Amino acid sequence: MLYAIISEDVSDSLSRRKEARPAHLARLTALQDLGRLILAGPHPAIDSEDPADAGFTGSLVVAEFNDLSQAQAWADADPYIEAGVYAKVTVKPFKKVLP
């Protein structure tokens, strides 16, 4: 089943994001290599693909897991959590309808 992992950043998270980004992306790449990643990306803090110093307000990951507890465990192990990037992470089932 698919799960949405919706994360909200702490304020002024950009420097923490930059530091933990390689480890964060490595986990996402591993999920992609298994064919389980549907999409992933951050929410820019301003209306721009490259928000520069404005940074980001959170992230969205949609991926396939066996169940909610597995999705939650994967989300809980995100390097962004250890680095203090995320203030809140919500994991919930997701049903893809389109495309």
Side-chain angles (χ1 to χ4, degrees), residues 5-92:
I5 302 168
I6 306 151
S7 306
E8 298 175 31
D9 283 21
V10 299
S11 60
D12 299 319
S13 63
L14 189 57
S15 63
R16 295 177 197 169
R17 271 183 170 270
K18 287 179 179 179
E19 184 177 318
R21 189 168 191 260
H24 173 77
L25 290 179
R27 292 181 79 240
L28 289 168
T29 299
L31 206 53
Q32 182 179 24
D33 291 347
L34 294 171
R36 296 173 34 203
L37 182 64
I38 304 304
L39 64 87
H43 301 286
I46 60 173
D47 191 12
S48 173
E49 269 205 37
D50 182 6
D53 291 339
F56 301 92
T57 62
S59 301
L60 171 64
V61 174
V62 177
E64 182 179 353
F65 294 94
N66 290 332
D67 56 39
L68 181 59
S69 63
Q70 187 185 68
Q72 185 69 58
W74 188 88
D76 290 344
D78 193 308
Y80 279 177
I81 290 178
E82 185 177 330
V85 172
Y86 292 150
K88 179 181 177 186
V89 177
T90 303
V91 180
K92 54 187 173 179

